[in-house]
């Protein structure tokens, strides 16, 4: 009976870890386009969930041509690829520009301007790495 309960418990734990992992992958994908939703932390959390819940899915995520290098660069160097940083800067500026244009109140415009300045300063101070997407380091 105890073994049966333990088996059910393990199945539920794996299901929960895999579900949270996929949710984090989805949020990470959305974060590619929404700069206030960070991609890398969600991918790292997804990786941690998959390593514990499904090593097969973790392997897929680590070998993924888009997500693998992001995870590798952050885990190995605590750095962001230069191309990802460039794209992120463009999306940050565009999305904040649209938001600043849309909001009606001047205090909201000032708040958003301050937020984008702080975000850009923080983000651009992160170390950069060269791409490793086609490197053997990623295997």
């Amino acid at each position: 009976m105890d073994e049966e309960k333990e088996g059910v418990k393990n199945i539920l734990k794996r299901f929960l870890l895999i579900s949270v992992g996929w949710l984090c992958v989805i949020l990470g994908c959305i974060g590619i386009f929404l700069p206030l939703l960070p991609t890398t932390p969600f991918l790292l959390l997804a990786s941690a969930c998959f390593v514990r819940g499904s090593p097969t899915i973790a392997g897929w995520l680590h070998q993924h041509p888009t997500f693998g290098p992001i995870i590798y660069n952050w885990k190995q160097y605590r750095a962001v690829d230069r191309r990802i940083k460039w794209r992120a800067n463009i999306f940050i500026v565009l999305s904040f520009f649209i938001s600043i244009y849309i909001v009606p109140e001047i205090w909201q415009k000032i708040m958003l301007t301050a937020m984008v300045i702080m975000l850009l300063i923080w983000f651009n101070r992160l170390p950069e790495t060269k791409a490793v997407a086609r490197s053997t380091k990623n295997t």
Side-chain angles (χ1 to χ4, degrees), residues 24-37:
C24 289
V25 169
I26 291 166
L27 291 172
C29 290
I30 294 169
I32 293 170
F33 304 102
L34 296 175
L36 292 178
L37 195 63

Side-chain angles (χ1 to χ4, degrees), residues 25 46 70 76 125 129:
V25 169
I70 294 170
Q76 198 70 20
R125 290 179 58 120
T129 63

Side-chain angles (χ1 to χ4, degrees), residues 41 49 59 67 78-79 96 98 107 115 117 123 133 135 137-138:
C49 289
F67 304 136
R78 295 284 187 243
F96 270 92
I98 291 168
W107 69 268
M115 287 174 64
I117 289 169
F123 185 68
S135 170
K137 291 181 184 178
N138 230 16

Side-chain angles (χ1 to χ4, degrees), residues 35-36 91-121:
L36 292 178
F91 280 110
I92 289 169
V93 170
L94 281 174
S95 65
F96 270 92
F97 178 77
I98 291 168
S99 297
I100 291 168
Y101 180 77
I102 290 173
V103 296
E105 302 290 330
I106 190 72
W107 69 268
Q108 293 169 331
K109 293 176 187 292
I110 293 169
M111 181 189 65
L112 286 170
T113 302
M115 287 174 64
V116 73
I117 289 169
M118 288 187 292
L119 178 61
L120 287 171
I121 289 171

